[in-house]
Amino acid sequence: VAPGRCRRAALWGLGGAAPGMRLRSTRVRGGPREHGTQLALGLEAPAAPELPGLSAWDGMIADYATTGVTAAAHPIALLRGALDAQGATAAAALGKVRHGAQVRVGGLVVARQRPGTAQGIVFMLLEDEGGTVNLIIPPDVYDRDRLAVRTEPLVVAEGRLERLPAGGGQVNVLVRRVGALEAPDRPLAEIKDFSPDLAELERNAAERPAAAAAGGGDFRAVAPPVMSFAQGRRR
């Protein structure tokens, strides 16, 4: 039996034995917030029906959903073909790119920083299957693309590579455009950004994973949390 098929059957059986899921807190009118837990049904797991085997992407999603990590392929490794088609450069290859060259990079957002002393500049750290890359996002780019900057776990960015002696030769990308990196399970749709205020955007970003976990299956719902500093917060 194919390993992917056995794994999907195991996940099917795990549904009946899964631990309780913490529900989003609610507020009763005039009262304190109330919390609850959706308990798993204590039923004997039925035999799994005939299920298709897991693809590499589905297996990675299952890893993050059940353990929070994956020992298999990195998400960006699974998207490398699409990135190559867009002319993106892997993090490990940026050391060979000349200073001032225009580059495109894609990765998983692992850290985000917006220091109060940086005059609106946002710093992001992206991770791909071979390394990390620092992004410097000017205020005008952040204002235009902040929905992707603040809420997307997988992004692709375009900008100018910088390798300055004053920085010890550290490679950075000064970004001129950043957007979502489409995953295989994410349907393409037109997105309209009506630029809500920052506080509302942060609340939506914090609540989205819990809402998506109840019925969604895309990577955004299971992506590892991003460490944010200063004006940010953990997703």
Side-chain angles (χ1 to χ4, degrees), residues 39-199:
L39 298 178
L41 295 176
L43 303 176
E44 182 178 350
E50 287 295 324
L51 298 169
L54 287 173
S55 66
W57 182 265
D58 288 337
M60 182 271 296
I61 292 289
D63 282 343
Y64 276 114
T66 54
T67 67
V69 297
T70 181
H74 191 280
I76 301 303
L78 301 178
L79 299 174
R80 179 53 59 189
L83 285 169
D84 288 345
Q86 298 179 44
T89 303
L94 290 176
K96 301 178 181 179
V97 178
R98 62 178 176 82
H99 170 74
Q102 294 296 316
V103 295
R104 178 178 290 141
V105 294
L108 171 67
V109 181
V110 295
R112 180 190 300 116
Q113 185 175 14
R114 194 185 184 197
T117 57
Q119 299 180 339
I121 294 176
V122 176
F123 303 93
M124 293 178 68
L125 180 66
L126 297 190
E127 176 188 272
D128 66 11
E129 71 275 34
T132 58
V133 55
N134 298 310
L135 303 185
I136 302 174
I137 303 174
D140 60 328
V141 177
Y142 173 77
D143 289 341
R144 185 191 64 216
D145 299 333
R146 66 177 182 173
L147 191 63
V149 172
R150 296 203 62 84
T151 67
E152 293 293 340
L154 301 172
V155 301
V156 59
E158 303 173 17
R160 186 178 74 248
L161 184 137
E162 293 185 341
R163 189 187 296 106
L164 302 175
Q170 172 68 48
V171 173
N172 300 312
V173 176
L174 180 61
V175 176
R176 60 182 175 85
R177 185 173 301 277
V178 59
L181 175 58
E182 297 300 337
D185 59 358
R186 184 178 303 169
L188 296 177
E190 182 180 0
I191 298 177
K192 296 184 182 296
D193 179 12
F194 294 99
S195 297
D197 62 54
L198 184 59

